Structure formats: structure tokens, C-alpha cells
Amino acid sequence: MCREDGSSEVQLGQTHIMGFVTGQLVQPYRDRPNEGTLSIFTEFSPMADPSFETGRPSESAVELGRIVDRGLRESRAVDTESLCVLAGKLVWAIRIDLHILDNGGNLVDAANIAALASLLTFRRPECSLGGEDDLEVIVHPPEEREPLPLIIHHLPIAVTFGFFSSESLLVIDPTHHEEAVMVGKMTATLNANGDVCAIQKPGGEGVLQSVIMQCLRLASRMASDITKKIKDAVETYNTERALRKIKRHPTSITLDGSVNLKEKLNEPSGHNVVNELSRKHLEKPRLASAENASSPGNNGEGESKSSNFGRSSRRDGATSNFVGGAASWDPYSRGVDSDFLKASLASRGTLTPKKKQQDPTGERKPNESKPEESPGDVIPTTSAMDVSETGVHKGGEKTLKDAVKPKHKRKKKAFSSTADAS
Amino acid sequence: MEVDRADGRNPNQLRPLACSCSILHRAHGSASWSQGFRFIQTSHFYHFNLFVFTSKCYFCYWVGSGDTKVLAAVYGPKAGTKKNENPEKASIEVIWKPRTGQIGKPEKEYEIILKRTLQSICILTINPNTTTSVIIQVVHDDGALLPCAINAACAALVDAGIPMKHLAVAICCCSAESGYCILDPTKLEEQKMKGFAYLVFPNSILSVLPEGSSLVQGEPMEHGIITSVTHGAMSVDDYFHCLERGRAASAKLSDFLRRSLQSKLPGDLSKAE
């Protein structure tokens, strides 16, 4: 879910990560005078896990930072040359802060997605050269000139696998319980074009070559999936942002509620939520439009909105469990799972307990046999999963709206009481 | 003298509030508090256990930014206290995480203020020689950050089940040049104003006991001030004016807090199924 320019929130099962991107004008490194810089800071917040402590980053924090960094920097995903403003004097330094809020396992994948999503939605202010000799750099605030997005060539997606002591056990997207018992792990960073950007297998149990190749095949399938989901989420955010800008221009504070209502209803259908909000906002239409009008421009940080990234990230969690799972689970359980999804509306909490239950029952044994089957087997199931999931979510959204209505009454009471505070 | 506020509120109007609890899975208690919203996306999570078929629902309100939002997490009593702490009592440790950037002096100051405030509302004698950690993560800052964090921390402590004497509600009031007082400023308003104060009051008590028992030295308990932090210059009269306004608003805040926390009680889960 993207709240505003340059920020994103990712939920992968129980794992919850927020990413923020900010930019600053600095002097470039001497050996690269015409390239901007990209730096990644990971915060293993103590709120994510009782074992995380403040102060010096732990080994796993450093490792996570390095994996995400390698995926972005060395694969040249972000175009650093476009970040140069004045060669040798001023370049943009992009800083990505990743805050780990909840550790449900597999922080690497989620952190990677958070970094990518926030990079895609980040807008930097436009600069132009002016003054005498064209040596002065003028930074234009967002009200004057539209801030520019970063140039991102491709999206490197990290996929993590966990290995267990029995050779045939392989898990994709491990939860924190699985991480505690696994003996080895491997993270493969790939992009949708099929390029391998990075592979990291830090020690642990030795693994057969064939298993590694199998992992890479699975990962490439998942990468294209996740890339599509990230792009969809960013698309919805961009359309909302564009719509909000249209609303920004009629700056009269007395914009009546009906106009807002209509505009919000025109937004893409994925936003049934917006309709609920606009109904609620009928009480405070001036507040919304006036805040749009008086946007404080800081670093190109825009205004609010949310998108369905939260849901699509849950879909990520779902797909990652399913695609790997599709190869490993027997047809019966796959069938149950898709019905399960339809019944449960949201895939987050559901899949992790399922996985845990299956572990002790040793249903992982079919893992080894299934992957040996032709890859052709896995592909149709993936698409079937996708279809069922999009179906679920459409259905989910409708029922969400109905289910949530009673809640609004309470919210309305809260607002009317704050209004009465005057 | 009417003061025109950029977002069209009148001077005594608070921004819309939203509070949600139990949003993190690993933390013992967690809450997010936001003041002001543009967009609410509500999500329903149904947690099914395949073999037992029970269901739990979490209602989560993800709130749009451009307004102040803070996430608080609490880890319940851990054994041992730090070196400088009194081992006869429970101690509270606060960690403040800013949105971006390094941790500096302002963050340390917030940690200290928050710690002292929470120490005065928690019952410290129940679990001696333990440390309760409260971690605050700033999601977005648009004015009145510390009050938002205090409110979130209170809600998270309730969610974690830490014993407390009463809750604290925090509010920010600023005084304009004209002597007028406005509540719950945005960041721009805070910067423009002559001075502002963060005020923390105990929440109002709903009690079945007769009224006299909640009085302290003849005054109702909710008129007490737990914490007051001021920035900028304001006259004594302005300050008292802010106090009055703050007290009135805190009654509304208390109501909101009570309502949103009551809905998290187990009794409500049966309705959700």
C-alpha cells in the first residue's frame, strides 16, 4: 500500500514493513562525479521482535541491507546517472529507510518489495540551472513544477527459500517459525526478464545442484508475478495521485460535498473503499478539498491516499505460498485452499497457520516428487491461482463494503463528537 | 477574533481521530493512532483455523497520510531493570523511531517525556524489577506529534494488558499572536504560531461509585495535568486559556478512547462472528 510519494507499506503474511524514500542534494563521490547515490538503511525496530535491540545493527540486519542493496545497485535497477544535476558538484542522494514493524518471517523479500514500491512512487523535485553562468541550481517546489519520478529500469524481486535437514524439504517464503528450524536458506533476486540479479546462500546445509536450479525456476515464475502486482499497485496510486491533482486546482474552500463524491466515484472500480469514504466525507467535504488545496510542499511529499497495495501484498503472500505450494501440495489441499480463500476474504492470517499445520504432518514429502514433474504442470496452476485470486478479491471487496458498513456508524459518532468539541 | 485555519476547521475543532489496536502480531500490545485522515481503507481479516473452525476478526483502519499517524508497540514485563533504574519498581523503557534519519536529541527528548508520562500512569509496584518496553514509530508527522504518540502508547499499553491507574489523553494547543487559542494544529500552524503547548490530562472516569470518591483535594481528577511541554513564548493568561480549552477537548478525547478500546473487548468478538 502506498500512502504518499515515496512511501510504501508491505504486508507479507504476518510480516509488516514500511519503506520511505527521501532525496537530498549532495556532492558526488570523487570517482563518480556524474552519478547520484543510493543508500539503504534498515531499521530492525524492537517492535518487530522481542529479540531485536536498538543500537548497533545485528548481523541479520546488515545482511538484509546488503541483499536489498546489491539487488538494486549492482543490477543497475535505478538509473543513477539521471540523478546528476551538476556534474562534479551536485547530485541527488536517494536514501531508502526500511522500517521492520512486525517480524513474521522472510524479511528480505518483504523489504525488497517495500523498497521497490517506494522507489517507484517517489518523486523528486525538478531542478533547473539558472543564475549567472548557469551554475546556480534552482530547486522547484512541487507547487511550481511537477516533481519527477525516478528512472527505474527493472524490478529485482527477491525470493527466499528455506531448506530443512531432510533433503526433500524445501519451503518458499518461510515464516518465522520455519526460519527458526530451517538449516539453510537461499535468496535469489531475479527480475521479470529472467535475469538473475543476485543469489545469496549464506552457509548452512549443502544443497543439491538440481534443487538450486529448481529454486531458480520457481523464483523466476514468482518474480514475474510479484512484479505485475507491484506495478498494478503503483498504477492505482498514480491514477489516484493524478485525480487528486485535478482536485487540487479548484482551490475554493467552499467546494461542496457533491463534487467530491462524484470525483471519487469516478475512480477505478477497485476503490469501493473510496465510495465509503466519500459517503462519510459528506460531513466534511470542505476539510478534504481545502487540505488538498493547501498542500505543504516538502521534498515532493504529496498528499494522502491509499491503494489496494495492502491487499495485493497479501496476494503476494498468498501467491508466494501458493506458487511454491502448488508445486508441493497435493491436488486435494490445493483445491481446499482456493475455496478457503474465497471463504476467508483475505489471505494473510490464513496461510501461515495452514503451513504450520502441514509441516508436522510431513506433507512436505511430496515436495521432491512434484518438482520433478514437468514445469508445464506448474504453470497452468499458477494462472488458475491468479484467476481465482482476482475473483476472490473482487468478491472480497463487495462483501467487505457490506461487512464494514456497521462500523461506519461508530466512526461517524466519533467525528460528530469531535465536531461538538467546538 | 476569528482565526482562519487553512483546513477550514474552527479553533476548537480537533482533526478526525482514528485508533486501532492489535495490529502487530509479535508485539504483546500494539496500537496506531492518527489525527486527521483523508482516506480510510478498512480491512477485515478473518483468521480461520482449518481444524477448529474458530474465527477471529481484526478491524484495521489504514489511514491516509498528510496527517499525523503514530504506531506504538508494547512488549510486556521483561525480567530485570537497567542499571540506573530502581529495582523495587517496574520500569518503562521508551524507544522512539523517527520516520527517516538518524536518532538525535529531539528523539531523546520525546523518549524522556513519554517515559515520565507513562511512569505516572502505570502502577509500578505490581511487577517490581521488570522492564516494559514501549516502541514508537512515527509514520507521518503533520503537527501534534507528541500528543499523538502519547495517545497511541496508552492504547498500546491497554492492548498489552499492563496495569494502569488511569489513561492519559494528550492534546496540543497553540496560542496565536492575537491571544487566541487553537487546538490540534497542523505542522504549518505550529510553525506560524507564537507558542504551543502539549498537554496531557488523565482521562475522565466513568464510575459507579459516588462522585465524591474520584475527587482529589476537592477537584475532579480529570482536571489534573500529567504533563505539559511548551514551545515558544506565551503569556500566563494565554497558557491558562490553553489549559481550559485543552481540558474541554480532553473530555471528548477520553470518550473516543473509551469507545474504541471497549470495542476490542472479548465480548464483542462474538458479535463479529
Side-chain angles (χ1 to χ4, degrees):
Chain A
M1 173 194 331
C2 309
R3 277 172 207 284
E4 54 174 43
D5 287 355
S7 86
S8 68
E9 211 175 307
V10 174
Q11 279 175 13
L12 194 66
Q14 288 192 350
T15 303
H16 192 167
I17 299 191
M18 268 200 307
F20 297 109
V21 174
T22 47
Q24 230 188 352
L25 278 172
V26 296
Q27 267 201 339
Y29 287 125
R30 248 182 254 145
D31 53 344
R32 281 170 213 239
N34 57 348
E35 276 186 25
T37 57
L38 182 74
S39 45
I40 301 188
F41 291 86
T42 37
E43 285 280 336
F44 268 45
S45 169
M47 70 163 65
D49 196 300
S51 59
F52 291 166
E53 278 161 14
T54 48
R56 236 174 111 245
S58 64
E59 267 181 23
S60 41
V62 174
E63 192 188 349
L64 187 141
R66 286 293 300 140
I67 297 180
V68 177
D69 188 79
R70 217 166 343 135
L72 289 175
R73 190 197 304 275
E74 297 185 14
S75 61
R76 304 201 176 279
V78 180
D79 187 31
T80 42
E81 288 188 2
S82 64
L83 296 174
C84 176
V85 177
L86 206 53
K89 299 260 173 56
L90 278 183
V91 296
W92 282 106
I94 304 289
R95 178 194 164 111
I96 306 178
D97 283 278
L98 295 168
H99 295 282
I100 317 277
L101 300 178
D102 211 357
N103 180 13
N106 200 7
L107 295 172
V108 180
D109 292 7
N112 202 295
I113 298 176
L116 289 171
S118 40
L119 280 172
L120 284 169
T121 58
F122 175 64
R123 301 277 184 273
R124 61 174 178 85
E126 189 176 330
C127 309
S128 55
L129 298 170
E132 311 133 12
D133 298 339
D134 265 356
L135 281 180
E136 249 179 59
V137 176
I138 312 168
V139 179
H140 298 276
E143 290 93 36
E144 254 183 56
R145 286 209 211 163
E146 184 58 26
L148 310 165
L150 296 173
I151 298 179
I152 308 215
H153 297 300
H154 63 93
L155 297 177
I157 310 277
V159 179
T160 303
F161 299 86
F163 307 114
F164 294 90
S165 48
S166 160
E167 287 247 6
S168 54
L169 294 183
L170 170 71
V171 170
I172 202 172
D173 187 23
T175 62
H176 68 277
H177 291 121
E178 288 157 356
E179 279 182 350
V181 295
M182 66 191 183
V183 297
K185 79 170 186 179
M186 184 176 89
T187 303
T189 309
L190 306 147
N191 65 17
N193 305 332
D195 305 322
V196 176
C197 306
I199 300 185
Q200 171 112 342
K201 186 185 180 304
E205 179 110 341
V207 171
L208 292 176
Q209 210 181 24
S210 52
V211 176
I212 303 265
M213 293 312 292
Q214 170 61 22
C215 291
L216 289 178
R217 274 194 291 268
L218 277 172
S220 73
R221 222 162 284 125
M222 283 204 42
S224 45
D225 226 12
I226 297 182
T227 307
K228 182 171 167 304
K229 295 206 170 103
I230 296 181
K231 288 203 170 135
D232 287 343
V234 175
E235 255 323 295
T236 39
Y237 166 73
N238 285 336
T239 42
E240 275 185 67
R241 195 172 175 276
L243 279 168
R244 234 184 315 122
K245 241 186 304 112
I246 299 171
K247 271 191 267 169
R248 198 198 271 185
H249 293 299
T251 55
S252 66
I253 291 180
T254 54
L255 207 58
D256 61 316
S258 57
V259 178
N260 276 351
L261 196 60
K262 227 191 298 174
E263 289 200 49
K264 284 181 174 155
L265 286 173
N266 282 339
E267 280 175 19
S269 61
H271 284 267
N272 290 335
V273 175
V274 183
N275 296 337
E276 297 161 34
L277 176 72
S278 51
R279 247 182 279 128
K280 236 191 299 194
H281 252 188
L282 219 40
E283 292 183 343
K284 303 210 161 146
R286 293 162 26 172
L287 187 65
S289 59
E291 290 213 79
N292 286 338
S294 65
S295 61
N298 304 323
N299 294 345
E301 272 174 40
E303 302 134 55
S304 70
K305 101 268 78 312
S306 71
S307 77
N308 286 331
F309 193 60
R311 289 207 200 110
S312 51
S313 298
R314 264 175 275 127
R315 260 187 271 167
D316 284 349
T319 337
S320 46
N321 286 338
F322 273 101
V323 170
S328 58
W329 294 348
D330 53 55
Y332 175 71
S333 66
R334 227 191 296 130
V336 168
D337 283 344
S338 56
D339 290 338
F340 204 56
L341 249 189
K342 281 177 188 143
S344 64
L345 294 177
S347 44
R348 273 181 26 147
T350 61
L351 297 170
T352 38
K354 265 225 92 187
K355 263 193 164 296
K356 287 180 221 151
Q357 281 143 26
Q358 291 199 343
D359 277 351
T361 58
E363 273 184 339
R364 298 249 156 255
K365 288 287 163 68
N367 259 358
E368 189 55 22
S369 52
K370 286 288 174 176
E372 245 79 90
E373 289 171 3
S374 57
D377 226 5
V378 187
I379 295 168
T381 53
T382 320
S383 50
M385 275 302 134
D386 274 352
V387 168
S388 71
E389 282 185 359
T390 44
V392 163
H393 278 275
K394 292 235 176 66
E397 280 159 24
K398 281 198 214 103
T399 50
L400 254 182
K401 189 162 68 146
D402 298 338
V404 167
K405 263 189 207 147
K407 272 279 167 190
H408 292 324
K409 292 199 196 124
R410 201 187 306 158
K411 276 277 139 194
K412 274 197 177 127
K413 256 195 282 170
F415 302 137
S416 49
S417 74
T418 53
D420 289 341
S422 45
Chain B
M1 276 178 284
E2 280 300 317
V3 180
D4 268 337
R5 300 182 77 168
D7 48 13
R9 284 186 282 157
N10 52 19
N12 282 337
Q13 195 177 2
L14 301 172
R15 286 178 283 186
L17 303 166
C19 167
S20 58
C21 291
S22 294
I23 34 191
L24 300 177
H25 297 97
R26 302 299 297 277
H28 297 148
S30 55
S32 96
W33 183 280
S34 55
Q35 292 178 192
F37 76 102
R38 216 69 69 73
F39 219 121
I40 282 192
Q41 175 177 23
T42 51
S43 344
H44 247 174
F45 303 126
Y46 280 95
H47 173 100
F48 275 108
N49 184 319
L50 181 62
F51 297 108
V52 181
F53 283 108
T54 55
S55 70
K56 252 192 282 185
C57 307
Y58 305 138
F59 294 103
C60 251
Y61 302 91
W62 299 112
V63 177
S65 63
D67 310 296
T68 310
K69 179 165 182 206
V70 172
L71 193 62
V74 171
Y75 278 94
K78 277 187 268 201
T81 47
K82 290 215 184 105
K83 258 186 5 187
N84 301 332
E85 303 282 347
N86 183 359
E88 307 268 333
K89 295 191 174 167
S91 75
I92 301 190
E93 177 197 13
V94 177
I95 299 167
W96 181 286
K97 293 266 176 205
R99 195 166 176 264
T100 52
Q102 304 282 31
I103 296 189
K105 298 268 167 59
E107 283 77 33
K108 287 283 173 208
E109 188 193 348
Y110 286 150
E111 283 179 8
I112 294 172
I113 297 174
L114 202 59
K115 178 179 149 143
R116 299 234 180 101
T117 308
L118 295 178
Q119 267 176 345
S120 62
I121 60 173
C122 291
I123 305 179
L124 297 174
T125 47
I126 285 191
N127 294 316
N129 204 17
T130 60
T131 307
T132 303
S133 316
V134 178
I135 300 114
I136 304 282
Q137 168 73 51
V138 177
V139 177
H140 198 261
D141 175 16
D142 190 27
L145 182 61
L146 188 59
C148 194
I150 294 176
N151 292 328
C154 266
L157 284 170
V158 171
D159 193 45
I162 307 292
M164 296 194 277
K165 299 175 208 158
H166 51 77
L167 298 178
V169 286
I171 191 141
C172 177
C173 320
C174 46
S175 74
E177 283 82 6
S178 44
Y180 217 75
C181 168
I182 62 175
L183 293 181
D184 200 13
T186 60
K187 206 169 193 136
L188 280 183
E189 289 172 344
E190 260 181 15
Q191 286 161 357
K192 279 192 306 191
M193 292 294 156
K194 200 171 60 164
F196 60 93
Y198 298 135
L199 299 164
V200 184
F201 300 100
N203 74 332
S204 51
I205 303 188
L206 263 186
S207 120
V208 294
L209 301 171
E211 236 184 58
S213 58
S214 64
L215 296 177
V216 174
Q217 289 183 346
E219 276 191 53
M221 205 194 76
E222 47 263 24
H223 284 191
I225 307 175
I226 300 179
T227 302
S228 156
V229 184
T230 57
H231 289 251
M234 56 172 90
S235 70
V236 178
D237 289 332
D238 282 347
Y239 181 68
F240 282 126
H241 200 188
C242 285
L243 271 186
E244 277 170 35
R245 292 293 174 83
R247 267 201 204 109
S250 72
K252 297 295 170 193
L253 268 176
S254 301
D255 283 340
F256 171 74
L257 193 58
R258 177 170 290 122
R259 241 176 302 124
S260 49
L261 291 176
Q262 262 178 350
S263 67
K264 309 296 183 292
L265 291 176
D268 267 31
L269 284 178
S270 53
K271 274 188 238 157
E273 288 175 55

